Amino acid sequence: MINLSQVQISEIKNLDLLARQVVEGFITGMHKSPFHGFSVEFSEHKLYNKGESTRHIDWKLFAKTEKLYTKKYEEETNLRCHIIIDNSASMHYPTVKTQTLDSLNKIGFSAVAAACLMEVLKRQRDAVGLSIYSDTYEYYAPEKGSDRHRKMVLHQLENLLNSTSKATTETYQYLHEIAEKIHRRSLIFLFTDMLQSSKHEKELFEALRHLKYNKHEVVLFHTFDGKTELNFDFDNAPKKFVDVETGEEVNLFSENIQEHYKALVENYFEELRNKCLQYKIDYVPVDIQIGFGQVLTSYFLSRQKML
């Protein structure tokens, strides 16, 4: 068995194994959480709501967690999840020679995070589907729960880890297409940096609203590199900055604009948050430097809403 520290400094060659290790590490850190032991308990229990019948309360679980849970029937525990990943050129920032657990670009982080979600979904006996888009609708797999299907989707995620892209994208176009394919109520996770080659903000949020059709639960993982894309933290030497999608170039000293740049970006993030709140979409800012706990925690919270 490869330990996690070895994976961190070596190329990611077995995404399935890595996802299991990350999820196991996450579970180990949840000792005081009501989700402790979730591989059995969480999939078969829900929090007791005042006024409900006490007939199905699990008193043994209460003794362990000091929280009231009621038992759930098998047909209540399964849900459908669809993962959507933006594979445009900006998602391949920052440039890394080899994707390792402690050196991932945005697309690498999204691929590993998606694999971790799939590992949890497998343990919960949930079905998973996948969509990948850039300047085309690159890949679509409907929600299924079989092992063969899961391996096929994992293979697509592994391809993302080793891919490059020069594609621009208009996210809203493909979100509409994806929304038309998902008919049954699902939990939808979208990984994107929310960068477009044009300013079609209204169209983008209309597309996000379209994903809410059929009462889907939608989580936007706004994926970014906090060090450089939010804080603009570069050494103060003259640099040429190149837009990876448009090719536009600008020469400057980062320190000269850092404060103004950060204020603009933070304002944009806040606008995204408020729009998502307005449309009842869960907005989760995901700094790729922080780790996968932020993504996995969001899964549990969203799953509670669905069941």
Side-chain angles (χ1 to χ4, degrees), residues 184-219:
R184 294 176 60 184
R185 184 169 180 253
S186 301
L187 175 56
I188 299 175
F189 292 122
L190 169 60
F191 290 89
T192 176
D193 55 14
M194 294 296 284
L195 298 177
Q196 299 194 108
S197 56
S198 62
K199 295 183 179 179
H200 291 139
E201 291 183 9
K202 182 178 180 181
E203 290 89 342
L204 176 57
F205 281 102
E206 283 302 313
L208 288 171
R209 286 182 68 184
H210 193 179
L211 286 178
K212 292 285 291 182
Y213 186 66
N214 284 341
K215 298 182 180 179
H216 300 312
E217 183 73 23
V218 179
V219 181

Side-chain angles (χ1 to χ4, degrees), residues 28-81:
T28 301
M30 298 174 76
H31 296 299
K32 295 183 179 180
S33 167
F35 303 133
H36 179 59
F38 77 90
S39 59
V40 174
E41 294 166 352
F42 185 67
S43 65
E44 298 179 353
H45 296 80
K46 64 180 179 180
L47 281 169
Y48 171 77
N49 293 314
K50 187 176 180 180
E52 290 182 341
S53 170
T54 59
R55 178 181 177 186
H56 297 295
I57 288 178
D58 189 327
W59 296 107
K60 290 183 179 179
L61 187 57
F62 172 75
K64 292 170 63 177
T65 65
E66 296 186 356
K67 292 181 181 294
L68 291 174
Y69 289 86
T70 57
K71 295 180 181 180
K72 294 173 66 65
Y73 296 102
E74 176 68 23
E75 60 269 21
E76 293 183 275
T77 65
N78 302 123
L79 58 76
R80 301 161 65 86
C81 177

Side-chain angles (χ1 to χ4, degrees), residues 108-137:
F109 181 95
S110 300
V112 175
C116 293
L117 287 172
M118 286 176 57
E119 172 64 21
V120 180
L121 290 163
K122 180 184 72 172
R123 298 178 185 218
Q124 300 297 117
R125 303 184 296 278
D126 295 333
V128 64
L130 176 68
S131 287
I132 301 171
Y133 71 89
S134 57
D135 55 355
T136 61
Y137 195 162

